[in-house]
Amino acid sequence: MKLDRLRQSFKELGAFTDKGEGINRLAYTETERRARQHMIRQFEQIGMTVRTDYAGNVIARRDGKQDELPVVATGSHIDSVYAAGEFDGTAGVLAALEVMRSLQEEGIETRHPIEVIIFACEESARFGASTLGSKAMSGRLDPAYTRSLTDKNGVTLMQAFEDNGLNLEEVHLAMRFQDEFKAFVELHIEQGPVLEKQGTAVGVVSAIAAPARYHVHVGGTADHSGTTPMDYRHDALLGGAEIALAVEQAALAELEYGTVGTVGVFSIQPGAMNVVPSAAELDVDIRGTDTESRQRVVTALEQAVSRIAEARGLDIWMDEISSEEPVQMDEDLVEELKAVCEERGITWLEMASGAGHDTMNMARFCPACMIFVPSKDGLSHNPAEYTSMEQLLTGAEVLRDLLLKQAVVC
Ligand SMILES: [Zn+2]
């Protein structure tokens, strides 16, 4: 594999961006469509057969000697958030392209076919819904839900599909079947600081954390800030603040399990300097890969809610926004990844992914795993996102070895 060629691939794909700071290549936009066309040409140039499915996923296939055997697949995404960096998603796609180019050059043949998949709409930035392409492929897309999606300019997902020559009514046809796949592996930047801090080359992902999300409404009483004595108040902000601290405390107690809790939204009513707050709205995100640990934090939140409501005379209720199950990676593939790293003398660390990825959906219907490469300062969804070409190439070597082991060189 070639470092300069990999660098050139990033340069070429990076040119497909809308105006603004960093990369702006939002899902199903004209710019992203042109980027996909560019990628299709790259795969076709090395003799791969490329098709776009009913969800807009690009599937580049390299035939196997026994082409009827299940596919060994890899892939990631090239859509981005607003003001994104250059590596989120693209790292996995361009590393896979470099692997495929090297196989082509070296005339390596495999028994199983290999596919590189560019998943459509991984980021929720445009339509508020993430991993649409892999959800469609794994049969997990709710049609009624997709019909309700709109971007901030009022463009419906239905319209965006049409702009791409797709029909949202046919998106279910993107679904594939378990027995079509032997394995799926995604290379991705870590988007966190651990690998860089530890000086480790590769993260072997053992599980992907999933969030349990809650909306908490705190109802108090609006009172005059000058005339209401302190012991007569039902201050909604203070109740909400105690809840936020309770989330932190409960998650800190689960540090060894890697469970995290965040109050990312906190607003108060009426929001006037001379009025005791009458209402507070909090959105709570609790994530982990250990379901029981995550549940303990949720339980602590529920207990805090009733304790604080009682103590402060507030009316507090919480609604579950969503609760997804954490996803475990395939144990055999995880072991194989470690073995590949050992063979090459590449340092590795078994770790969980705190962020969601297309692999979550693929893992629900075929054995799947992920390879992480370091992110400078842990930055992601940021123009300063950075992984060196050397670090990427090391990840690509691990990816290549795993693909070849799974697809069986002949
Ligand atoms: Zn990503």
Side-chain angles (χ1 to χ4, degrees):
M1 290 189 285
K2 295 183 177 143
L3 201 74
D4 288 343
R5 187 169 58 191
L6 184 60
R7 184 176 287 119
Q8 183 61 24
S9 299
F10 275 92
K11 214 176 146 190
E12 287 173 12
L13 184 55
F16 294 92
T17 176
D18 284 324
K19 281 198 199 74
E21 208 196 341
I23 299 287
N24 294 273
R25 192 166 52 232
L26 278 86
Y28 300 123
T29 54
E30 173 60 16
T31 300
E32 194 244 7
R33 192 187 65 76
R34 286 194 295 111
R36 269 185 281 138
Q37 294 300 327
H38 164 76
M39 289 309 303
I40 289 171
R41 287 193 295 275
Q42 307 310 305
F43 288 115
E44 283 177 344
Q45 271 167 19
I46 49 170
M48 296 178 82
T49 315
V50 189
R51 69 185 175 93
T52 301
D53 75 4
Y54 290 88
N57 297 310
V58 171
I59 301 165
R61 182 182 171 100
R62 189 174 197 269
D63 291 345
K65 273 281 181 200
Q66 286 170 264
D67 210 39
E68 70 288 356
L69 289 177
V71 159
V72 176
T74 183
S76 199
H77 61 97
I78 62 168
D79 67 315
S80 81
V81 297
Y82 291 98
E86 243 187 297
F87 299 92
D88 179 0
T90 53
V93 172
L94 296 179
L97 172 64
E98 188 54 34
V99 169
M100 293 300 130
R101 283 173 168 165
S102 75
L103 300 187
Q104 180 70 6
E105 272 170 355
E106 294 167 38
I108 293 173
E109 295 194 287
T110 54
R111 283 177 52 201
H112 292 258
I114 300 178
E115 282 181 1
V116 180
I117 305 170
I118 304 175
F119 292 104
C121 196
E122 195 272 347
E123 301 286 3
S124 60
R126 184 169 177 201
F127 290 102
S130 62
T131 66
L132 283 188
S134 54
K135 280 198 181 98
M137 192 176 285
S138 57
R140 304 184 68 242
L141 201 60
D142 174 7
Y145 173 65
T146 57
R147 283 192 285 270
S148 72
L149 298 174
T150 335
D151 72 6
K152 67 174 185 185
N153 300 318
V155 178
T156 60
L157 182 64
M158 180 115 32
Q159 181 62 49
F161 261 56
E162 272 175 40
D163 296 344
N164 281 268
L166 300 164
N167 180 353
L168 190 59
E169 297 299 330
E170 294 177 339
V171 72
H172 60 281
L173 297 173
M175 188 176 132
R176 296 177 70 180
F177 297 92
Q178 253 168 306
D179 54 10
E180 287 183 63
F181 291 95
K182 183 182 180 195
F184 176 80
V185 51
E186 177 173 10
L187 180 147
H188 203 281
I189 57 168
E190 182 199 340
Q191 302 179 284
V194 178
L195 290 174
E196 187 190 46
K197 281 219 158 62
Q198 303 217 352
T200 306
V202 159
V204 173
V205 178
S206 54
I208 302 176
R213 290 176 166 155
Y214 297 88
H215 179 77
V216 182
H217 173 89
V218 184
T221 311
D223 278 309
H224 194 292
S225 69
T227 59
T228 318
M230 294 307 288
D231 56 349
Y232 278 83
R233 298 181 179 201
H234 303 285
D235 187 323
L237 181 147
L238 296 177
E242 275 201 71
I243 289 170
L245 290 169
V247 169
E248 183 196 31
Q249 204 173 34
L252 272 172
E254 300 294 328
L255 205 57
E256 61 180 302
Y257 297 96
T259 304
V260 290
T262 309
V263 176
V265 175
F266 192 142
S267 63
I268 55 162
Q269 293 294 331
M273 199 185 274
N274 59 353
V275 184
V276 175
S278 58
E281 311 286 340
L282 289 75
D283 285 347
V284 187
D285 175 306
I286 301 166
R287 299 186 188 214
T289 56
D290 185 309
T291 316
E292 285 172 20
S293 166
R294 191 183 76 176
Q295 187 52 44
R296 283 195 291 275
V297 179
V298 173
T299 305
L301 168 62
E302 287 164 349
Q303 287 167 349
V305 160
S306 42
R307 187 182 68 242
I308 294 160
E310 171 79 32
R312 290 185 171 273
L314 296 166
D315 195 10
I316 311 180
W317 69 87
M318 55 189 272
D319 291 322
E320 183 181 283
I321 301 170
S322 66
S323 178
E324 286 181 44
E325 283 301 302
V327 181
Q328 303 300 320
M329 299 292 92
D330 182 77
E331 277 178 33
D332 293 339
L333 287 176
V334 166
E335 289 311 313
E336 205 164 1
L337 272 181
K338 292 177 191 169
V340 162
C341 292
E342 291 291 333
E343 279 164 26
R344 282 191 173 266
I346 292 170
T347 53
W348 59 271
L349 178 73
E350 185 170 325
M351 62 193 301
S353 170
H357 296 287
D358 289 307
T359 302
M360 285 188 310
N361 298 319
M362 298 304 283
R364 293 189 198 274
F365 84 135
C366 77
C369 65
M370 287 191 83
I371 301 164
F372 274 177
V373 291
S375 297
K376 188 169 186 325
D377 301 325
L379 285 178
S380 186
H381 287 187
N382 184 320
E385 185 178 86
Y386 180 74
T387 304
S388 74
M389 286 300 134
E390 289 78 7
Q391 288 171 319
L392 276 164
L393 205 66
T394 302
E397 279 168 359
V398 177
L399 174 65
R400 179 182 139 125
D401 285 1
L402 187 78
L403 289 174
L404 289 181
K405 281 189 181 206
Q406 286 291 316
V408 189
V409 178
C410 53

